């Protein structure tokens, strides 16, 4: 999906085992579905990667366990 670099994009990731869903904006349906994350579930750090030569800004980042 195209994102406007001049505006904040609200995103919500839902990860469950080896599956992940990305919701953008206030969408109730996921924008992206990944059914096989290739790595086994693990604990530890979370990395945010933008890409070489790009700038990324994050605001109000929250990580929480699903209920």
């Amino acid at each position: 999906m195209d994102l406007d670099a001049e505006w904040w994009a609200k995103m919500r990731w839902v990860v469950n085992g080896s599956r992940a869903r990305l919701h953008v904006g206030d969408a109730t349906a996921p924008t992206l579905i990944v059914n096989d994350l290739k790595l086994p579930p693990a604990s530890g750090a979370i990395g945010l990667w933008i890409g070489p030569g790009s700038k990324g800004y994050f605001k109000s980042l929250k990580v929480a366990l699903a209920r």
Side-chain angles (χ1 to χ4, degrees):
M1 81 175 292
D2 292 327
L3 295 174
D4 186 342
E6 300 298 320
W7 299 96
W8 286 102
K10 178 181 174 185
M11 297 181 188
R12 180 172 56 98
W13 282 95
V14 179
V15 179
N16 186 357
S18 64
R19 298 180 64 184
R21 295 175 295 172
L22 168 65
H23 299 259
V24 178
D26 293 322
T28 56
T31 302
L32 173 69
I33 299 172
V34 179
N35 287 317
D36 187 3
L37 290 173
K38 304 294 184 198
L39 295 173
S43 61
I46 295 173
L48 301 172
W49 182 75
I50 300 302
S54 298
K55 293 182 181 179
Y57 302 95
F58 302 91
K59 175 181 163 185
S60 303
L61 179 66
K62 297 175 189 174
V63 177
L65 293 174
R67 294 182 189 181

